[in-house]
């Protein structure tokens, strides 16, 4: 068991949480949720012992091993991927290193031979003979093929390094597993694999995630960080949403009952307090009134942005057409691609990381050129684009409001109008004047969405838009896109997001394009039936 006892944390005048006392029980898998900036990652670091709380302490049962997903992508640059994973079990790796050293010596002293025999027994008992095979199984599950396992970590991009670090913490099979955004940079297949792995984990799992599918598939309990405190709810994320809505509604109903009773008591007291025959009853009711108080309904730290996409430009029937398009780098991503995107479609582009999804998206909007073939846009097409990396379009030297001003539908958009759009995306007061370079990932994402709303594009193109958004912002974006009656083309690994939006699936698979006219559920059923 791991428990927080009277934990408080503040930075300057900002209180993140206070008087937090919560126990995490063995065998349970907790989703730690809360608005961006509420202190989830800070609380996770306190649990991991990486950060000291302002007050309070963390209690861990004696003998419990704790694993924490590391965020330092450059710690193991010169190690191979396989060795980096094996290092997750520090005791086993120490035995492995001592064993390798002893066996590398030409002649061993009697003491060294005895030590080698002892190590061999300990090595076998600790699982040393299956160490590399066990590590390889984790890597393959997380989307890193065996031909990559012996290459240095330095050869990987940041997203794949995170997968290796995730495999490393899973390899140790700790009693308490702390994961901060473990699904970041994972494709759908790897997320499915991770969900299955964590459901079978015997110890405690505490995971921060903004992926609704992950929270629903993995979590047995939800730890909700709100109102500067943590409350536990039994069930997954959908269960939590239902329970919290019922709880809030019951609080409001109870307050209405109390208010009605208080009004009745006041009315009786006012009418009969001067009446000698009713004086005793009036006094009794006054005592009852004095004891009554309304339940406090605290304002949640969760705030949802208001997102709506409207365009004055009508689309023709054919929006984007590709004619025999090919793209080749060191390998063929796709070739001879001919397809038409219609004006009422919501198209999800799927595939593993590095397979060419972003490249296809950027070719479709004419941001990069294909090697062969051509792209044809309809006459009235106006693209509004959300890039995977916001630094592609953000000017870090600008104030947020000044950067946004470049995208208005007309010259000279007033500051009040700009503030209105930014307010919808949760930028209030002086926050609109923040330099772009100091914005968090979530703030940058919301600023780009404000840009898209201002542009009034009639073709919305989004590349992994949910990566840096909190759950409330993801749901608001999801809701807004569901009402758009023009073309939406997007890349995502968020199964819930894809399932609720896509009317057409395009999957890139080893240079081959699969174009399926239907929803994600229909596509997956089609794939299963075609394999039979």
């Amino acid at each position: 068991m791991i428990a927080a006892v009277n934990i408080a944390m503040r930075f300057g005048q900002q209180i993140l949480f206070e008087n937090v006392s919560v126990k995490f029980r063995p065998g349970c898998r907790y989703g730690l949720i809360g608005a961006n900036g509420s202190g989830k990652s800070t609380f996770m670091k306190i649990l991991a012992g990486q950060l000291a709380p302002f007050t309070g302490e963390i209690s861990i049962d004696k003998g419990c091993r704790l694993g924490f997903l590391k965020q330092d992508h450059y710690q193991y640059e010169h190690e191979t991927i396989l060795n980096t994973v094996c290092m997750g079990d520090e005791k086993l790796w120490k035995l492995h290193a001592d064993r390798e050293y002893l066996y590398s010596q030409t002649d061993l002293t009697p003491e060294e031979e005895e030590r080698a025999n002892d190590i061999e027994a300990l090595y076998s008992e600790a699982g040393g003979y299956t160490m590399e095979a066990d590590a390889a199984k984790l890597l393959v599950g997380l989307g890193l093929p065996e031909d990559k396992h012996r290459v240095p970590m330095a050869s990987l991009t940041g997203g794949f390094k995170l997968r290796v670090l995730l495999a490393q913490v899973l390899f140790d099979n700790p009693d308490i597993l702390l994961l901060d955004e473990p699904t970041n940079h994972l494709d759908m297949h790897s997320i499915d694999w991770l969900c299955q792995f964590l459901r079978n984990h015997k110890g405690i799992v505490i995971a921060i995630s903004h992926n609704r599918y992950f929270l629903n598939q993995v979590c047995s309990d939800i730890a909700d960080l709100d109102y500067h405190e943590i409350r536990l709810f039994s069930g997954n994320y959908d269960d939590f949403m239902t329970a919290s809505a019922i709880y809030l509604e019951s609080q409001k109903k109870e307050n209405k009952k109390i208010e009605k009773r208080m009004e009745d008591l006041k009315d009786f007291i006012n009418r009969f307090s001067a009446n000698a025959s009713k004086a005793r009853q009036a006094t009794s009711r006054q005592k009852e009134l004095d004891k009554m108080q309304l339940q406090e309904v605290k304002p949640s730290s969760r705030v949802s942005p208001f997102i709506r996409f409207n365009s004055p430009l009508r689309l023709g029937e054919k929006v984007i057409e590709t004619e025999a398009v090919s793209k080749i780098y060191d390998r063929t991503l796709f070739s001879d691609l001919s397809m038409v995107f219609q004006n009422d479609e919501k198209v999800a582009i799927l595939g593993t990381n590095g397979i060419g999804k972003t490249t296809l998206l950027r070719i479709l909007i004419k941001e990069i050129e294909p090697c062969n073939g051509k792209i044809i846009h309809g006459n009235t097409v106006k693209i509004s684009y959300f890039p995977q990396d916001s630094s592609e379009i953000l000017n870090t030297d600008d104030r947020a409001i000044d950067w946004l001003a470049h995208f208005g539908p007309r010259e000279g958009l007033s500051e009040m109008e700009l503030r209105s759009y930014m307010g919808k995306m949760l930028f209030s007061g002086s926050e609109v004047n923040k330099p772009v370079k100091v914005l968090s990932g979530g703030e940058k994402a919301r600023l780009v969405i404000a840009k898209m709303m201002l542009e009034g594009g009639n073709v919305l193109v989004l590349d992994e838009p949910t990566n840096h958004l909190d759950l409330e912002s993801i749901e608001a974006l999801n809701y807004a896109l569901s009402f758009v009656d023009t073309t939406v083309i997007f890349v995502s690994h968020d199964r819930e997001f894809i399932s609720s939006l896509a009317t057409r699936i395009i999957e890139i698979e080893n240079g081959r394009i699969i174009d399926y006219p239907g929803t994600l559920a229909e596509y997956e059923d089609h794939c299963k039936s075609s394999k039979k």
Side-chain angles (χ1 to χ4, degrees):
M1 183 186 74
I2 181 170
V5 183
N6 295 323
I7 295 291
M9 195 67 187
R10 64 182 63 172
F11 294 102
Q13 297 299 312
Q14 182 190 11
I15 297 173
L16 288 182
F17 38 82
E18 54 187 348
N19 300 323
V20 170
S21 292
V22 60
K23 293 180 181 179
F24 299 99
R25 296 173 287 114
C28 294
R29 301 176 301 278
Y30 297 88
L32 178 55
I33 65 170
N36 278 350
S38 61
K40 299 185 298 296
S41 292
T42 299
F43 184 73
M44 184 78 86
K45 288 175 182 176
I46 291 172
L47 289 176
Q50 296 196 345
L51 192 63
F54 191 76
T55 61
E57 62 181 11
I58 300 299
S59 170
I60 301 177
D61 283 353
K62 188 175 180 180
C64 278
R65 292 178 301 112
L66 186 146
F68 180 56
L69 177 58
K70 297 174 182 176
Q71 299 295 330
D72 185 354
H73 294 186
Y74 302 100
Q75 186 176 347
Y76 304 95
E77 289 293 88
H78 302 298
E79 292 289 347
T80 67
I81 290 170
L82 196 64
N83 283 354
T84 300
V85 176
C86 294
M87 286 176 179
D89 187 332
E90 293 181 3
K91 289 184 179 178
L92 177 57
W93 183 253
K94 177 70 167 56
L95 288 171
H96 173 77
D98 290 347
R99 180 175 180 269
E100 290 292 300
Y101 169 77
L102 289 170
Y103 286 171
S104 69
Q105 304 303 303
T106 305
D107 295 310
L108 297 179
T109 66
E111 291 80 8
E112 287 175 330
E113 286 184 358
E114 185 176 348
R115 172 64 179 152
N117 290 334
D118 290 342
I119 284 177
E120 200 65 41
L122 292 170
Y123 189 69
S124 174
E125 185 180 332
Y129 296 136
T130 62
M131 178 181 72
E132 291 191 348
D134 293 340
K137 190 182 298 182
L138 290 171
L139 287 167
V140 170
L142 290 169
L144 282 147
E146 289 189 29
D147 60 356
K148 299 284 188 183
H149 293 182
R150 303 286 179 180
V151 303
M153 284 284 284
S155 66
L156 297 180
T157 60
F160 280 101
K161 284 177 182 174
L162 181 64
R163 294 185 188 211
V164 178
L165 295 179
L166 178 56
Q168 183 190 67
V169 72
L170 298 179
F171 180 76
D172 190 35
N173 194 30
D175 303 296
I176 302 166
L177 187 54
L178 306 179
L179 303 173
D180 191 347
E181 294 289 359
T183 61
N184 273 4
H185 305 289
L186 296 186
D187 56 47
M188 284 171 56
H189 297 298
S190 297
I191 291 172
D192 285 340
W193 179 89
L194 179 61
C195 288
Q196 183 63 41
F197 184 94
L198 293 177
R199 283 197 298 268
N200 293 331
H201 185 74
K202 302 301 181 186
I204 297 170
V205 177
I206 306 173
I208 297 171
S209 181
H210 294 148
N211 187 303
R212 295 165 293 178
Y213 174 79
F214 175 84
L215 291 171
N216 280 327
Q217 289 293 310
V218 170
C219 296
S220 62
D221 298 83
I222 296 294
D224 179 36
L225 178 48
D226 201 1
Y227 315 108
H228 305 304
E229 62 186 22
I230 291 179
R231 293 180 296 167
L232 296 182
F233 292 81
S234 180
N236 61 20
Y237 179 69
D238 283 349
D239 295 329
F240 158 76
M241 291 297 288
T242 302
S244 58
I246 291 171
Y247 174 73
L248 185 61
E249 187 61 30
S250 68
Q251 273 192 314
K252 291 178 179 178
K253 285 182 178 179
E254 186 61 28
N255 275 347
K256 285 182 179 179
K257 288 181 182 178
I258 294 171
E259 285 175 344
K260 178 66 168 62
R261 178 61 179 161
M262 290 172 76
E263 287 172 7
D264 291 344
L265 291 172
K266 288 175 184 177
D267 182 58
F268 186 92
I269 293 165
N270 289 335
R271 289 170 58 196
F272 298 111
S273 59
N275 187 322
S277 64
K278 298 282 188 179
R280 181 175 293 181
Q281 294 178 48
T283 301
S284 174
R285 281 165 172 73
Q286 182 63 58
K287 288 179 180 179
E288 182 184 349
L289 180 62
D290 291 341
K291 292 178 181 178
M292 295 182 75
Q293 61 182 21
L294 296 174
Q295 297 185 52
E296 183 183 5
V297 181
K298 296 180 181 178
S300 174
S301 61
R302 289 187 173 85
V303 184
S304 295
F306 181 82
I307 305 174
R308 291 294 183 272
F309 300 107
N310 297 301
S311 177
L313 297 170
R314 291 178 62 85
L315 281 171
E317 186 176 341
K318 288 185 180 180
V319 177
I320 299 175
E321 186 174 359
T322 71
E323 291 186 357
V325 166
S326 300
K327 190 64 179 179
I328 303 168
Y329 287 116
D330 54 338
R331 58 187 172 83
T332 299
L333 297 183
F334 39 83
S335 60
D336 200 28
L337 179 61
S338 297
M339 58 175 63
V340 174
F341 295 84
Q342 306 288 350
N343 63 10
D344 58 350
E345 291 184 311
K346 294 182 174 68
V347 185
I349 299 177
L350 311 183
T352 57
N353 285 343
I355 203 73
K357 303 184 299 297
T358 295
T359 299
L360 175 57
L361 208 63
R362 295 174 71 181
I363 286 174
L364 291 175
I365 65 175
K366 297 186 177 180
E367 194 172 273
I368 59 176
E369 292 290 327
C371 295
N372 297 295
K374 63 179 180 178
I375 305 294
I376 303 166
H377 283 186
N379 292 332
T380 60
V381 164
K382 182 180 180 182
I383 302 286
S384 192
Y385 178 45
F386 184 110
Q388 184 181 146
D389 182 358
S390 60
S391 65
E392 291 179 19
I393 59 173
L394 289 172
N395 185 342
T396 56
D397 294 326
D398 280 349
R399 295 186 307 160
I401 193 169
D402 293 336
W403 178 82
L404 187 62
H406 297 305
F407 300 95
R410 63 182 188 281
E411 291 293 327
L413 207 62
S414 73
E415 181 174 328
M416 185 176 293
E417 289 173 300
L418 289 169
R419 280 180 173 271
S420 173
Y421 276 92
M422 295 187 76
K424 292 174 183 177
M425 297 312 299
L426 309 183
F427 291 89
S428 60
S430 62
E431 290 178 345
V432 303
N433 295 316
K434 278 185 178 180
V436 169
K437 61 187 172 188
V438 305
L439 297 180
S440 68
E443 287 173 325
K444 288 176 180 176
R446 284 188 273 114
L447 186 61
V448 173
I449 293 173
K451 183 256 323 179
M452 295 179 71
M453 290 195 293
L454 260 179
E455 286 174 323
N458 55 13
V459 178
L460 305 180
V461 180
L462 306 99
D463 194 353
E464 299 199 36
T466 64
N467 276 359
H468 297 287
L469 296 177
D470 60 18
L471 285 161
E472 288 69 41
S473 297
I474 290 171
E475 286 166 0
L477 177 62
N478 204 151
Y479 184 76
L481 291 174
S482 70
F483 280 101
V484 170
D485 58 5
T486 55
T487 305
V488 180
I489 307 172
F490 64 98
V491 171
S492 180
H493 298 302
D494 186 324
R495 183 181 290 274
E496 191 81 19
F497 193 77
I498 300 165
S499 296
S500 60
L501 287 176
T503 61
R504 176 180 174 184
I505 303 294
I506 293 175
E507 183 166 21
I508 306 175
E509 192 178 74
N510 299 321
R512 186 168 67 102
I513 297 286
I514 304 167
D515 188 355
Y516 183 82
T519 65
L520 178 62
E522 291 167 343
Y523 174 61
E524 289 181 331
D525 287 344
H526 167 76
C527 291
K528 287 175 185 175
S529 62
S530 63
K531 288 178 181 178
K532 290 180 180 178

